[in-house]
Amino acid sequence: MTEKTQLTLEQVLDAKEARAARQRDLLAQYGGSLASITVNLPGPHKNRPEAVELVRYAVCTLAELFEASFQEVQELPTGPVGFVCCLAPAEVLKRAAVAIEETSTFGRLLDVDVFNSEGKLLTRGEQAENKRRCFLCDQPAII
């Protein structure tokens, strides 16, 4: 895919399904907790070098903090995806993920989903964390 080729909805949905399958496979193989990292980028071109570096930064930071049993960055046409598996409790991993999202200069562009060993997604609301805000209007991004 060239930089001038726009993504189709089918490609985006296929990538989401592939990411979910990879998440299930990693949880089955490594157990523990899983961080799945993507980048929120406007526009049709998602796999920019800068986006890959953001994902690498988040993966390396979490992997170092929690002595990861597995880490990976995939460079896909739909955008980079990172995975970190560790034995830390998912709640602790989620707090670190939120800290990266909220304290890094570029952290608002990152989306770090954290799953527990049963594959349940931990949300900010369940963790009593601040809800994500909209880029444009500063209202809660999830209603």
Side-chain angles (χ1 to χ4, degrees), residues 19-80:
R19 185 169 62 247
R22 183 70 173 141
Q23 292 163 349
R24 287 189 299 273
D25 291 347
L26 289 172
L27 284 170
Q29 183 174 357
Y30 293 97
S33 302
L34 168 68
S36 178
I37 303 153
T38 56
V39 178
N40 295 314
L41 281 180
H45 310 300
K46 305 295 185 188
N47 198 27
R48 300 176 184 178
E50 300 87 353
V52 174
E53 287 307 309
L54 292 178
V55 171
R56 281 191 203 289
Y57 168 81
V59 166
C60 290
T61 300
L62 292 174
E64 186 176 311
L65 282 172
F66 297 105
E67 298 179 19
S69 51
F70 176 84
Q71 67 186 63
E72 173 180 65
V73 175
Q74 299 176 347
E75 296 182 37
L76 306 172
T78 51

Side-chain angles (χ1 to χ4, degrees), residues 67-140:
E67 298 179 19
S69 51
F70 176 84
Q71 67 186 63
E72 173 180 65
V73 175
Q74 299 176 347
E75 296 182 37
L76 306 172
T78 51
V81 180
F83 301 100
V84 177
C85 297
C86 67
L87 296 178
E91 297 78 13
V92 174
L93 181 59
K94 181 65 177 180
R95 281 194 295 275
V98 169
I100 290 171
E101 291 173 342
E102 291 185 350
T103 62
S104 302
T105 304
F106 50 80
R108 182 56 186 96
L109 296 174
L110 289 168
D111 184 18
V112 185
D113 290 334
V114 173
F115 300 86
N116 68 15
S117 59
E118 289 82 40
K120 181 182 182 296
L121 176 67
L122 277 68
T123 66
R124 285 175 176 236
E126 292 171 332
Q127 300 302 304
E129 302 291 343
N130 294 332
K131 292 185 178 180
R132 270 212 191 250
R133 314 297 286 178
C134 173
F135 280 123
L136 302 175
C137 68
D138 203 37
Q139 295 298 312

